[in-house]
Amino acid sequence: MPVHTLGFQADLSGADETDGVAQERGARLAVAHHNARAGIAFRLALDTFDDRGDATRARQAAERFTKAAVRAVLGPDTPTAARAAAPRYQTARTAMVLVSLDDPRLDEDDTLRTLRSTRAPEQFLALALAAYLTSVRPVDRTAVIDDRAAGRVGSDLVRMLTQVPPNEGTTRVYPVPAGSDDFSPAVRAALADRAQAVVFTGTSAGRAARCARALAEAGFAGPRLGTWHVMRPDFLREAGTAAQGWVFGAPFTDPGSVSGAFRAAYRAAYGTAPGRWAPEAYDAVGLVARALESLGGRAGVTAGAVAERLSDLTYQGLAKSLRFTAGSIDTPRGEGYFLYRTEGDGFRFLGRSDRFTKRS
């Protein structure tokens, strides 16, 4: 029986270790489940490389995987590593399947024709926040505390929320300079304008905590929202009680609720509950396996053929349906985004953002 090897590269020991390890484990579990199925035409294998988010190691991973003629590569999971490895994968016509990373600089590079991303674009993450402020907690006046330290992630949120204000109301923006740690002036200005909800655009858990404390000290009790970037233990610890009730938009589903069988298998294999992005990595393996199946699964299938097949494919995964058109993920409005809320010492999953209906 043919064995098709997939490459996996991510930061497995650096700053993004938690997410990288969860993805590797999700991918390994998918490989094991594929190989345990009856009637399969080929087996899968997974070769991993810890690139530590480093450009040099990322290029080393790309060299190793392309020389070994892996059928596709899952990852990397950091912008630095992805930008370093992408040209080598393109030259070898090997699909680089991104699970958790969305980097506009990669998307805008027309030379990277074998790049495939399975997550919804970051630039439309505001859809999840707008859905909450339209359907769950309808408001007429939304304030955006624009943390200029967030760069393009923050500016995309500002652009979307001002172009399409939640609940067809109004949106006002209150910038905080990247070099400032004081969010109180922006908070005071927003409340003076009678803001009913506040959206924080930053990506730093520490800066989000300072914003949360400023809102609490000002006595603001309306909806407070942010993005998945600050869903970290640091936010909970540094914000204290001010963190409670915050709502976050995210491009990943709750790894503990996608499937009881997945959750049980993951715990049996690794002795812990699945981490975020684990179901998405599991689905990425399934997606590549579907491409191999459609090509007959024969031993001579090339990485280039797999990459081309991935450009127009539909696959129903655990986390969501994956649909590609001309190589780009086709995410219907809101389908790839999810909502969470801070409760106690964790983040409770609320559901997929497009499934909320407006209150009567």
Side-chain angles (χ1 to χ4, degrees):
M1 185 180 296
V3 176
H4 296 299
T5 300
L6 310 182
F8 177 91
Q9 71 171 100
D11 180 358
L12 302 176
S13 60
D16 294 286
E17 173 185 1
T18 300
D19 287 349
V21 169
Q23 290 180 50
E24 182 193 19
R25 289 174 171 177
R28 286 197 178 281
L29 195 62
V31 167
H33 284 181
H34 170 86
N35 291 342
R37 285 169 45 197
I40 57 175
F42 58 88
R43 293 175 61 81
L44 292 175
L46 191 71
D47 186 9
T48 68
F49 192 102
D50 177 10
D51 64 27
R52 301 176 193 161
D54 175 75
T56 299
R57 288 186 61 82
R59 285 189 287 269
Q60 291 172 351
E63 283 295 323
R64 181 171 115 183
F65 288 149
T66 53
K67 287 181 179 178
V70 299
R71 299 301 183 260
V73 173
L74 309 184
D77 64 340
T78 65
T80 298
R83 290 195 295 271
R88 183 69 188 95
Y89 289 132
Q90 175 56 46
T91 299
R93 299 186 65 230
T94 300
M96 186 172 79
V97 183
L98 302 180
V99 176
S100 61
L101 178 65
D102 178 53
D103 186 340
R105 285 165 291 189
L106 291 172
D107 297 335
E108 293 163 2
D109 188 341
D110 294 335
T111 67
L112 302 180
R113 293 181 296 277
T114 61
L115 175 68
R116 305 288 181 262
S117 178
T118 63
R119 57 153 287 180
E122 185 79 20
Q123 64 176 318
F124 300 123
L125 188 58
L127 292 173
L129 308 182
Y132 184 83
L133 294 178
T134 299
S135 302
V136 183
R137 298 283 298 276
V139 297
D140 297 318
R141 296 184 298 277
T142 300
V144 177
I145 305 297
D146 182 21
D147 183 2
R148 294 294 172 84
R152 184 163 179 171
V153 171
S155 62
D156 281 342
L157 280 174
V158 170
R159 176 178 54 81
M160 291 291 292
L161 291 171
T162 52
Q163 288 181 354
V164 187
N167 202 33
E168 299 182 351
T170 61
T171 298
R172 292 190 178 183
V173 181
Y174 306 86
V176 177
S180 173
D181 288 335
D182 187 2
F183 289 85
S184 297
V187 167
R188 287 195 297 268
L191 300 193
D193 290 335
R194 298 182 300 137
Q196 296 172 320
V198 171
V199 175
F200 174 74
T201 68
T203 58
S204 162
R207 292 174 69 82
R210 286 189 279 277
C211 182
R213 292 198 303 268
L215 285 166
E217 290 165 2
F220 183 72
R224 293 143 295 152
L225 296 87
T227 66
W228 67 282
H229 298 281
V230 301
M231 288 174 58
R232 302 285 185 181
D234 289 354
F235 173 71
L236 299 175
R237 183 178 63 255
E238 296 179 25
T241 57
Q244 298 303 303
W246 272 66
V247 171
F248 301 93
F252 52 81
T253 191
D254 175 31
S257 65
V258 291
S259 161
F262 171 80
R263 184 173 63 249
Y266 192 100
R267 182 173 288 279
Y270 307 114
T272 184
R276 69 185 193 183
W277 297 114
E280 285 79 6
Y282 185 99
D283 289 347
V285 171
L287 176 73
V288 176
R290 174 62 56 82
L292 287 165
E293 288 170 355
S294 70
L295 294 167
R298 61 188 182 278
V301 172
T302 65
V306 173
E308 184 176 350
R309 186 68 188 93
L310 285 172
S311 69
D312 186 15
L313 193 66
T314 298
Y315 176 73
Q316 181 58 54
L318 290 176
K320 60 182 180 291
S321 176
L322 299 174
R323 290 184 293 276
F324 289 85
T325 302
S328 299
I329 187 73
D330 178 13
T331 306
R333 184 179 179 87
E335 184 174 307
Y337 305 100
F338 307 85
L339 291 169
Y340 294 78
R341 181 171 59 220
T342 304
E343 290 187 6
D345 59 354
F347 303 98
R348 186 170 76 85
F349 183 58
L350 299 180
R352 210 171 80 183
S353 63
D354 64 326
R355 290 180 175 170
F356 291 101
T357 57
K358 191 166 184 176
R359 291 178 175 177
S360 58

